[in-house]
Every structure is written in C-alpha cells, then in structure tokens.
Amino acid sequence: ALEAVAAGAPGARIHLGSLEPTVVTDEFVARLAKLNVCPHFHLSMQSGCDTVLQRMRRKYDTARYYENVCLLRTWFPGCAVTTDMIVAFPGETEDEFAQSLAFIRKCGFAEMHIFPYSRRPGTPADKMPGQHGNAVKEARSRAAIAVAEEMSHAYREALVASVQSVLFESVEDGLFTGHAPNYVKVYVPGEGLHNQVRRVRITGLYKDGLTGSLEP
C-alpha cells in the first residue's frame, strides 16, 4: 500500500508513524529506501533492558533493536531515529534502569518521549510486585530526560552548516517555522513562506530545533 501511495504521489513527502522493531528487516528497509520516505523513524522501544522487556512481554530484545537502528542508519544516512521509553516499570531495579540509560546512549536517539509507568487496573503489570512510588518515578524520569536532551542536542548540532529542505507551516515569535525531512523543527526569518518548501542553510540551534537562512 505504501509503495502504491509513493508511486501515485512521487513528489509527496511520506512520513511514517511508529514502527514496531519486529517489522524492521533488511527487505523492509531496502524497499523503503526506494520510496520518497522522510528520513525520520519512530522505533518503539519501551525499555533498554532485556529483563524489563521480558516482563513487558515484548517480542524483541535490545540486540535486535540495536540491529534495527543500525539498519535504518545504513540505508538512510543521517536519519533521525526517535523512540519512547517507560521508566520505573514494576520491578525495575537501579541496575536495570542504568542498563536502559546506557542502551539509549548507545543508540543515540534524535528525540525521545519519556513516560513514568502508570498503573492500569486489569493489566498484567498492575498485579506485578515491585510497584514504584512517585519519588522513584520522578527521579528516573528526570535522569532519562537529561540523557535524551543531551542526545537531541548532539543530533541537531551535527546538522549545523547543512542545507535542509524545509516545509514551512506556521509563525512563532515572528519567525516562520517548519520541518526538515528528518522532522527537526527549523526557524527562519522571512515572509509569505506558509506551505512553501524552501532550502535552508542551518546556522545554529534554536529552542527545540534549528535556525538558519533561506538559500537563494
């Protein structure tokens, strides 16, 4: 279906939603690389520790997950890989949490969404021992967010001096804003840019994204 959409709209930007690690294979990525897919992949993770993933009943482990990250970067050099992570899952020890932090650093995500585990009645996890209190959840969330922000800064910093094709969408603080193909937000001074795709030379980091100047 995706290949049919790409064939029918060769000039469109195709931005994928969340991917499960189990669907990312050599064949899958090789076929994606032939399409006009944006180089931004949200690869669902939940935890960077194998024992926690087992308790979560995930069908992949960190080795498989990291292979997928490397596979995407091989076929889409410089792509943004983003993910989500749940901290303080029932029974998660300090060592398991440390393993998760080390793993996300290894992956070098462009952006992460960090969530403290929230109990939901009727789920298997709700009945698991080792439920954590708010203090642990908040401390681990802060620690994970700090690492995520470091990685986001590093990813965006590596884009300085590059030229990005930006689709402009709105105005914030007097600057036009839009997204590069890797879904990084870009801010530039200008007028009448709404819904235009323009080449932008990136000059620095700004707020949650990048700033730059329009190319002639």
Side-chain angles (χ1 to χ4, degrees):
L2 186 59
E3 288 167 328
V5 170
R13 290 187 177 189
I14 299 175
H15 188 226
L16 299 180
S18 182
L19 293 173
E20 281 293 317
T22 52
V23 308
V24 179
T25 62
D26 288 274
E27 180 188 2
F28 176 80
V29 179
R31 290 172 70 180
L32 272 189
K34 297 176 182 177
L35 311 179
N36 43 315
V37 171
C38 288
H40 168 233
F41 305 99
H42 189 82
L43 193 59
S44 181
M45 184 186 74
Q46 309 302 332
S47 176
C49 173
D50 286 334
T51 47
V52 175
L53 288 172
Q54 289 169 8
R55 291 201 294 277
M56 289 179 169
R57 300 181 182 177
R58 302 294 168 181
K59 296 179 180 179
Y60 53 88
D61 58 15
T62 55
R64 168 67 187 276
Y65 188 95
Y66 187 66
E67 285 178 7
N68 292 349
V69 171
C70 293
L71 191 58
L72 289 168
R73 287 177 175 154
T74 296
W75 284 91
F76 296 87
C79 68
V81 181
T82 63
T83 197
D84 36 52
M85 178 180 177
I86 296 173
V87 301
F89 190 76
E92 182 186 64
T93 64
E94 285 290 346
D95 181 63
E96 287 175 328
F97 178 60
Q99 289 180 47
S100 273
L101 292 186
F103 183 71
I104 63 175
R105 286 185 186 277
K106 178 180 177 180
C107 290
F109 295 109
E111 186 177 346
M112 293 185 69
H113 298 131
I114 310 294
F115 304 99
Y117 168 74
S118 179
R119 297 184 76 163
R120 294 183 181 178
T123 61
D126 182 52
K127 300 179 178 64
M128 289 181 179
Q131 301 284 338
H132 292 288
N134 288 336
V136 171
K137 292 179 180 179
E138 290 171 7
R140 292 185 184 176
S141 292
R142 286 195 301 270
I145 288 170
V147 175
E149 289 177 347
E150 286 177 22
M151 293 187 296
S152 174
H153 186 279
Y155 180 77
R156 288 180 288 128
E157 195 168 50
L159 295 171
V160 174
S162 70
V163 175
Q164 300 290 325
S165 177
V166 179
L167 171 60
F168 287 99
E169 300 149 6
S170 61
V171 177
E172 290 182 28
D173 300 333
L175 298 173
F176 263 93
T177 70
H179 289 87
N182 56 13
Y183 213 63
V184 174
K185 198 169 185 179
V186 179
Y187 299 76
V188 302
E191 296 181 1
L193 297 176
H194 185 66
N195 281 341
Q196 289 190 31
V197 177
R198 295 286 299 274
R199 285 167 57 83
V200 176
R201 182 166 296 278
I202 304 302
T203 56
L205 278 63
Y206 182 75
K207 291 188 172 181
D208 56 342
L210 300 164
T211 187
S213 57
L214 295 172
E215 290 276 278

